[in-house]
Amino acid sequence: MAASQDIIKQLALIKTTIAEYNYQYYVLDNPSVPDAEYDRQMQALQSIEQEYPELLTDDSPSQKVGDIPLPEFKQVEHEVPMLSLDNAFDRDSFLAFEKRMQDRIKDDSEISYSCEPKLDGLAVSLLYENGKLVRGATRGDGRTGENITANVRTIKNIPLVLRGRDYPERLEVRGEVIMTRDGFIKLNKTQLEQDKKAFANPRNAAAGSLRQLDSRITAKRPLLFFTYSLGLVENEQYPLADTHSARLRQLSEWGLPLSKELDVAQGAEACLDYYQHIGEIRDSLNYDIDGVVFKADNIELQQELGFVARAPRWAIAHKFPAQEEMTVVQDVEFQVGRTGAITPVARLEPVFVGGVTVSNATLHNQDEIQRLGLKIGDTVIIRRAGDVIPQVVSVIVDKRPADARDIVFPETCPICDSAIEKLEDEAVARCTGGLYCGAQLKESMKHFASRKAFDIDGLGDKIIDQLVDQKLVKTAADFFKLELIQISNLERMGEKSAANLIQSLENSKQTTLAKFMYSLGIREVGEATAANLAAHYCELDAIKQADLESLQEVSDVGAIVAQHLVNFFAEEHNVQVIDDLLAAGIHWPKIEKVELSSLPLAGQTFVLTGTLAQMDRNTAKATLQGLGAKVAGSVSAKTSCVVAGEKAGSKLAKAEELGVKVMSEQDMLDLFSELETSV
């Protein structure tokens, strides 16, 4: 029997009532009714939905109980990358952060900051369309995450439908999913009672709960979500606030939960006072934090400061001092890194510190061992530096046993037996085996095949390990000499998988100079530096022949990186590998060096708003930038032109208010055609 209009109205009222109860309880922390009344409303909701299953919708409060298991998580491409933050560990590094911002904007006046605790959980993205939650995703690598929509729907304080009506048509909210300390204790008690493994800390428990393929399990976990920023925003009908803190308040009005410790501070000293305050109340909070996050509050200032390769220039995480504990050094082993660095690692008597059980700690290098005066068998104080990497802080000499042994640094590489070299001006000792060292070879090959380098689909770590172990590859160039039968004989590789890998290798031959430079694994030449080198020199030969002075003219290249580059290209075996790669067919498009000032739109700032019908936004942005224009995210008096597509909202209104030139999408396309013709 179909539901009557009265039933439909009753259901809508119950949903609205429960949503209001959730908002009062989880967002405002001010429950308006007893639990019994909440339970009665929920039972009434479920009763109607059971009797009239056609009325059950994804945004119903009853759907927070989870659903049938998924076979796997699907990948999600973040339309706006989820970047990480740079860190400050003391007063001086935080003050240096503010000074960098002031120098960049050429203004030494105090900056207003939005301040919040750095929650120790899992970063997630929530996408709302027309006010309804349509997708939840993990941060992943910042560009690609996992679709966890079914799981985030079960989190009690995440609204399935936003409050009010003044939110953007598409709104992406970023935040942290955490597990409370009380909830963590109860969960571990339950785990142990059911003879299951206990979680090491609340963060691991939260992460494990979010990555359950069965969302019904997630629904039983005591998870909470707290909002800290916006991602994608499209077609806003009403203007967003012009400060980060005010935008967070808007999100709260739409039903999204915020940390109760949010604040705004004027200037660096006020930020340091806030940091001190949060540190003092840290232990009284019911959730784990590992520092404080400071963000320039003014949105226009954020846009002016922009980003570096992996993090915004306008935000920083001020981490708390590491937590410390005592334990015993049972042994010291030596590991060989991708660059040949020999790193001593202390094997410890396991100890719980900083929320995790630690059994290893880095000793960095031989100088550090001598500084500590460390012996095997010593009792030491360890800490998790930056709450991440366990380190030995000091030796408690009074507890040294009679049979304590000296730590003997090896004279030859523990992997390939090559000589170890330690330069006078470097603390790190390195294997001289270069590409012949098994440890370096495997890691350098993995780096070469990685996504940001050659991005060879199907060439995973285990396949590379087998290829190196079986001596089928001795340099990166050998990848492109592999034959179908060689690959198909590898463990877990059939003929079809082998054929796919051969095709992937062939496809990867077409790359870019920037990716090629990054793939070589030159010390301290990361993705951004490789791109800067390619843009500056345009040709590989020019980079190879560049001297120290010339290299330091490149953005992001200082004296040390320049020396690494010169040393790398001075080695004949490195040059030979490059020649072999080029001979194997590696190639990239020719780069034409263009002076920015000569481009037709140089010095102009454009803003795109609304929906473009004939050209997607990314293509339009790239075309404008290719013509020399800067593409900004907000309208100001400095904006040269606003391109308004369909359903343009507050940005168009602000442009008209400021008298900024406005053009339609067709006007923009006509401009592109005109400029291309003139060029």
Side-chain angles (χ1 to χ4, degrees):
M1 182 176 65
S4 66
Q5 287 301 312
D6 287 342
I7 292 294
I8 293 173
K9 289 179 181 178
Q10 181 185 358
L11 183 66
L13 177 60
I14 294 173
K15 284 184 178 180
T16 301
T17 301
I18 293 176
E20 182 62 23
Y21 290 168
N22 283 334
Y23 178 73
Q24 296 285 338
Y25 187 95
Y26 292 111
V27 178
L28 301 183
D29 196 24
N30 184 29
S32 55
V33 294
D35 289 347
E37 172 58 18
Y38 181 94
D39 293 339
R40 279 192 289 271
Q41 293 290 339
M42 182 61 75
Q43 289 168 5
L45 172 66
Q46 292 172 331
S47 176
I48 293 174
E49 289 175 341
Q50 287 169 6
E51 186 172 354
Y52 304 98
E54 71 274 11
L55 299 182
L56 178 62
T57 58
D58 287 343
D59 59 1
S60 172
S62 67
Q63 294 309 288
K64 289 186 175 292
V65 297
D67 207 340
I68 60 174
L70 299 171
E72 61 181 358
F73 288 118
K74 294 181 179 179
Q75 297 294 298
V76 171
E77 292 289 332
H78 297 299
E79 295 177 58
V80 177
M82 294 183 70
L83 302 178
S84 55
L85 294 175
D86 286 332
N87 295 323
F89 293 101
D90 53 34
R91 174 189 176 89
D92 290 344
S93 55
F94 176 75
L95 294 177
F97 157 72
E98 180 175 70
K99 183 67 165 53
R100 288 194 299 272
M101 286 199 293
Q102 291 172 331
D103 289 347
R104 193 169 188 87
I105 62 176
K106 297 179 173 57
D107 185 347
D108 60 359
S109 58
E110 286 188 335
I111 294 172
S112 180
Y113 294 90
S114 176
C115 317
E116 61 196 74
K118 186 176 181 300
L119 303 174
D120 195 12
L122 193 72
V124 301
S125 157
L126 304 178
L127 180 62
Y128 288 86
E129 293 183 351
N130 297 314
K132 292 186 177 181
L133 177 64
V134 297
R135 191 187 72 201
T138 62
R139 178 184 180 277
D141 64 4
R143 296 186 180 276
T144 304
E146 292 180 322
N147 190 320
I148 54 168
T149 306
N151 290 343
V152 298
R153 285 183 182 279
T154 70
I155 298 176
K156 300 298 187 291
N157 70 338
I158 290 181
L160 301 179
V161 180
L162 297 179
R163 293 167 56 85
R165 296 182 179 179
D166 56 347
Y167 40 75
E169 189 175 302
R170 294 187 80 213
L171 175 70
E172 183 193 9
V173 180
R174 272 86 185 271
E176 199 88 358
V177 170
I178 65 165
M179 184 174 290
T180 62
R181 290 172 178 170
D182 289 346
F184 171 71
I185 292 170
K186 291 178 182 177
L187 174 62
N188 265 354
K189 182 180 179 181
T190 301
Q191 291 286 106
L192 294 173
E193 287 174 351
Q194 297 176 355
D195 292 325
K196 296 179 180 178
K197 183 178 178 181
F199 291 97
N201 53 58
R203 186 190 186 283
N204 286 358
S209 299
L210 266 187
R211 298 200 73 257
Q212 294 288 332
L213 291 171
D214 187 344
S215 61
R216 292 171 297 188
I217 296 176
T218 309
K220 297 176 182 177
R221 301 284 172 82
L223 301 176
L224 291 176
F225 171 83
F226 291 102
T227 309
Y228 57 63
S229 72
L230 286 172
L232 177 74
V233 177
E234 285 186 358
N235 301 334
E236 61 263 38
Q237 303 302 312
Y238 300 87
L240 290 172
D242 57 6
T243 66
H244 180 76
S245 56
R247 288 186 174 185
L248 290 179
R249 289 194 293 273
Q250 283 182 302
L251 292 175
S252 177
E253 291 169 1
W254 296 333
L256 291 152
L258 306 178
S259 166
K260 295 178 177 57
E261 307 304 326
L262 286 170
D263 206 348
V264 176
Q266 191 67 33
E269 290 300 328
C271 286
L272 293 170
D273 288 343
Y274 176 87
Y275 173 82
Q276 182 70 24
H277 165 68
I278 295 297
E280 290 171 354
I281 67 171
R282 179 184 184 184
D283 290 340
S284 67
L285 299 175
N286 195 28
Y287 50 83
D288 285 352
I289 61 175
D290 56 3
V292 168
V293 175
F294 296 111
K295 301 172 184 174
D297 200 30
N298 185 282
I299 300 298
E300 189 171 333
L301 177 58
Q302 290 184 6
Q303 293 165 345
E304 182 180 351
L305 289 165
F307 303 81
V308 291
R310 57 174 288 277
R313 292 191 178 95
W314 41 265
I316 198 163
H318 193 173
K319 305 295 281 293
F320 287 131
Q323 296 176 353
E324 299 181 345
E325 262 296 352
M326 285 196 313
T327 187
V328 175
V329 175
Q330 297 176 327
D331 200 359
V332 173
E333 297 177 2
F334 296 88
Q335 297 180 345
V336 184
R338 181 174 63 83
T339 63
I342 310 295
T343 303
V345 176
R347 303 303 183 195
L348 308 170
E349 185 177 296
V351 61
F352 193 77
V353 56
V356 300
T357 299
V358 171
S359 56
N360 303 312
T362 179
L363 294 171
H364 297 293
N365 50 58
Q366 189 171 13
D367 292 351
E368 178 70 1
I369 292 174
Q370 293 174 350
R371 184 190 71 78
L372 291 167
L374 179 66
K375 294 177 180 286
I376 295 171
D378 274 342
T379 297
V380 295
I381 296 175
I382 65 163
R383 69 180 176 201
R384 297 181 63 210
D387 289 343
V388 178
I389 305 170
Q391 290 180 305
V392 175
V393 178
S394 60
V395 175
I396 304 176
V397 179
D398 292 346
K399 292 182 174 288
R400 176 169 289 165
D403 60 350
R405 295 177 285 128
D406 290 337
I407 299 169
V408 180
F409 212 89
E411 295 181 358
T412 60
C413 173
I415 301 297
C416 69
D417 207 32
S418 297
I420 290 176
E421 179 182 59
K422 183 174 180 295
L423 303 178
E424 281 187 21
D425 58 344
E426 287 192 345
V428 178
R430 296 183 186 278
C431 166
T432 59
L435 298 178
Y436 299 100
C437 178
Q440 295 177 73
L441 179 58
K442 285 183 179 179
E443 292 307 308
S444 63
M445 295 301 96
K446 291 170 186 176
H447 175 78
F448 179 87
S450 65
R451 185 176 60 82
K452 293 181 180 180
F454 266 68
D455 192 17
I456 304 172
D457 188 34
L459 191 58
D461 291 357
K462 292 183 179 179
I463 299 299
I464 291 174
D465 288 342
Q466 291 184 69
L467 291 170
V468 173
D469 291 341
Q470 295 182 29
K471 296 182 171 53
L472 293 175
V473 293
K474 294 182 180 178
T475 74
D478 291 335
F479 284 138
F480 302 96
K481 301 175 185 177
L482 291 169
E483 298 178 358
L484 184 66
I485 190 169
Q486 292 175 310
I487 300 175
S488 60
N489 285 335
L490 296 176
E491 185 180 346
R492 296 183 181 178
M493 286 292 285
E495 188 171 329
K496 184 177 179 180
S497 297
N500 290 339
L501 178 52
I502 291 288
Q503 186 59 52
S504 295
L505 286 163
E506 186 63 31
N507 294 342
S508 73
K509 289 181 180 180
Q510 181 173 334
T511 184
T512 65
L513 177 55
K515 286 191 172 185
F516 184 82
M517 285 298 303
Y518 175 72
S519 75
L520 299 177
I522 303 170
R523 288 179 63 195
E524 298 188 49
V525 176
E527 194 179 6
T529 303
N532 290 338
L533 287 164
H536 184 87
Y537 288 105
C538 299
E539 295 181 354
L540 177 61
D541 283 344
I543 301 175
K544 288 164 62 177
Q545 296 165 14
D547 57 23
L548 285 170
E549 186 176 349
S550 169
L551 286 165
Q552 290 178 69
E553 295 175 4
V554 180
S555 175
D556 198 33
V557 176
I560 294 175
V561 177
Q563 188 65 62
H564 291 330
L565 285 158
V566 169
N567 291 345
F568 181 87
F569 288 113
E571 292 290 342
E572 290 185 9
H573 63 263
N574 293 332
V575 175
Q576 184 60 56
V577 172
I578 290 172
D579 290 343
D580 291 344
L581 286 167
L582 298 178
I586 306 303
H587 63 282
W588 50 82
K590 184 177 180 180
I591 302 174
E592 298 289 344
K593 190 161 188 175
V594 179
E595 293 297 332
L596 182 63
S597 60
S598 67
L599 296 174
L601 297 182
Q604 297 187 43
T605 299
F606 279 68
V607 172
L608 300 169
T609 185
T611 302
L612 302 182
Q614 302 179 61
M615 177 181 285
D616 68 79
R617 188 180 290 252
N618 288 336
T619 302
K621 180 178 179 180
T623 305
L624 287 166
Q625 291 173 331
L627 292 168
K630 176 184 177 182
V631 181
S634 62
V635 180
S636 71
K638 297 178 182 179
T639 303
S640 308
C641 181
V642 170
V643 179
E646 296 177 9
K647 298 181 181 179
S650 61
K651 294 175 185 176
L652 175 59
K654 189 167 185 179
E656 292 171 342
E657 178 187 335
L658 296 174
V660 173
K661 178 182 176 182
V662 177
M663 65 168 57
S664 66
E665 179 183 4
Q666 188 58 53
D667 292 335
M668 177 184 69
L669 296 174
D670 292 343
L671 175 64
F672 290 166
S673 298
E674 178 186 337
L675 293 177
E676 288 171 5
T677 301
S678 65
V679 173

